Amino acid sequence: MMKPIIPRVPAVGVTGSAGKSSTTSFINAIFNTRWKNVLTTKGNMNLPKHTKQAVSQFNRNHKAIVLEMGLGRASNHFNYIQPNIGVITNVGTAHYGKLGNSIKETAKAKSAMIRNIHPRGILLLNNDDTNSKLLDYKNFKGDLIRVGITSKSEYQATNIKYTSYGMIFGVTLRGKKVYFFIPAFGMHNVINALFAIAIADRLNFSINEMKLGLRSCKSPSRRVNVIKLSKPKGALLIDDTFNANPQSVKAAVDVLAELGNKKKKIAVLGSMLELGDYSKKGHQEVGAYLAKKGIKHVFLYGKNASYVKTAAIENGIPEKNILHTTNRDKLHYGILRVLNEGCVVLIKGSHKMKMSRTAEYIARNSLKK
């Protein structure tokens, strides 16, 4: 077995229940303003075997390493590398069923990052995430950095605004208020960007490099990608179909609520898988949240999505405005019936539900004359 490399260059490991790919993209975008040779994760290849493959390519020409790490029960990533910077984006219910049906067990799995990064390294946590308090960081001797929006943090975003193309927010850096733009939507993406800002600041990147990197960042495919439809006029499609858990669905619904504002807001949600014992409650939470956010039209696909329907009705969404089905053609027909000028439609679901097919169908239909 190969020994783990201990890089002398910045080596960032990114894990968490949601936001890993986006956070990795933001970090890379800033690093690339200065360094053209950064060793990084390809796409969403975040298993230990992918870390092994990436590390085997490391050479003296690399200026930095940025790796997305899916930390389930195994912490085998660290057989190949010891990061000196670790990011844990949050602790949620993703893969809950595979992680002991317990948030404490999930936090324990994510804590492998803390146990395995360089003892004098940098650890970054989400101060707004209550579950992150369960992480085992009490004995960490390195530099602990917290980012947040609602909680007072070393790197805290304020004056956050939605624009037509992304988010603008302010951060106090080096004694002055600095405003950043990211071409991505949602408060969760502001948190993800804060991780990148904090790392770049500690590595003495200039403020201009940070700004340039973030505004040039390309969002990972099918993660809150906002697409203008050709028809109906003024309609938007939010394609967030890569995966889903209660936490990420709520974040996507927040974006739908903001972008929809006074327009018709339509949520199309597939079942959330791998939630184990939390499945019923997790789906019910989403149903209640849809009502809380004023989403009036709901389309649900998959067996477990029935729990979303029940909770949505209980919380005030009229039953006539909800369609639950396990037939994709029926789902598509139902969506097309309610699409009209200026509406905003969110499509999201677990990867195995293949909600990307529905997003592609809506996008194709908008091009038809």
Side-chain angles (χ1 to χ4, degrees), residues 144-161:
L144 177 60
I145 298 172
R146 294 178 175 88
V147 307
I149 296 172
T150 60
S151 303
K152 187 171 177 58
S153 307
E154 289 95 327
Y155 294 85
Q156 186 170 355
T158 57
N159 305 108
I160 303 170
K161 295 179 181 177

